[in-house]
Amino acid sequence: MHKPALLQRILATLEHDVEVLRRAAQTAYETATAEENIAENKYDTLGLEASYLATGQARRTAEIRQALLTYQQLVLRDYDPARGIQVGCLVTLEDEDGQQRRLFIGPEGAGLKIGEGDALVTVITPRAPLGQQLMGKKVDDEVSLVVNGVAQVQYIIDVA
């Protein structure tokens, strides 16, 4: 998957997520403010719980909207070996067993997965431990993370 197509898929996914969360927050708000959900005693907490849910969903919607705005302003550049890996790079890593995975270094939206199978790309940010290690690295460099007490070494085999 090329970076412009990947960026469009990220934007579409974030737009969809914003809409789904907006509708969910609206439903929770309507439940929280419905007259039939006014508490009749101290144990009647449906309205209060719906209010908490609406607040959390509204916050998450705002976070995704911010990520969407950030991606809309993202300028994709070609990989420059002199600068190494930067935000906007599409990186392919390979572990010692030959397993490959593709990562997009994004400004936001960590954990977002785009595509499936061999075309799966995971979004990470420079704030993540792996993202921190990748910044400035080049093809043929290696990164190492300790997961559950085991060091995992991966090699950068391609950067776009």
Side-chain angles (χ1 to χ4, degrees):
M1 182 178 308
H2 297 288
K3 289 195 303 186
L6 178 62
L7 180 58
Q8 290 308 309
R9 299 247 337 244
I10 290 171
L11 288 168
T13 300
L14 290 172
E15 287 169 352
H16 176 263
D17 290 353
V18 164
E19 183 55 29
V20 167
L21 273 171
R22 187 199 59 75
R23 285 194 308 255
Q26 182 63 34
T27 300
Y29 171 77
E30 290 169 1
T31 300
T33 58
E35 190 170 319
E36 64 268 12
N37 291 332
I38 295 174
E40 295 175 4
N41 60 52
K42 68 180 182 176
Y43 301 107
D44 191 3
T45 61
L46 179 64
L48 180 61
E49 291 167 3
S51 172
Y52 290 149
L53 180 60
T55 300
Q57 288 171 327
R59 273 195 206 118
R60 182 68 183 130
T61 301
E63 290 170 2
I64 294 174
R65 270 199 184 107
Q66 181 58 47
L68 181 59
L69 287 172
T70 303
Y71 274 102
Q72 287 170 337
Q73 297 169 1
L74 181 64
V75 176
L76 295 177
R77 293 182 171 82
D78 290 334
Y79 170 65
D80 177 2
R83 294 183 67 211
I85 294 172
Q86 300 294 314
V87 169
C89 284
L90 182 59
V91 180
T92 304
L93 298 177
E94 185 173 89
D95 66 16
E96 295 168 328
D97 297 326
Q99 295 287 96
Q100 293 183 3
R101 68 178 181 160
R102 297 180 79 197
L103 305 170
F104 180 75
I105 313 297
E108 298 285 339
L112 195 61
K113 295 187 184 313
I114 304 296
E116 53 192 53
D118 290 341
L120 179 68
V121 177
T122 303
V123 176
I124 66 170
T125 67
R127 295 181 298 277
L130 181 56
Q132 289 174 6
Q133 282 197 41
L134 286 171
M135 298 304 289
K137 297 273 187 177
K138 299 165 180 49
V139 173
D140 295 329
D141 285 349
E142 68 178 51
V143 291
S144 176
L145 282 180
V146 177
V147 179
N148 296 328
V150 178
Q152 296 180 349
V153 177
Q154 297 185 0
Y155 303 93
I156 302 167
I157 61 170
D158 188 46
V159 181

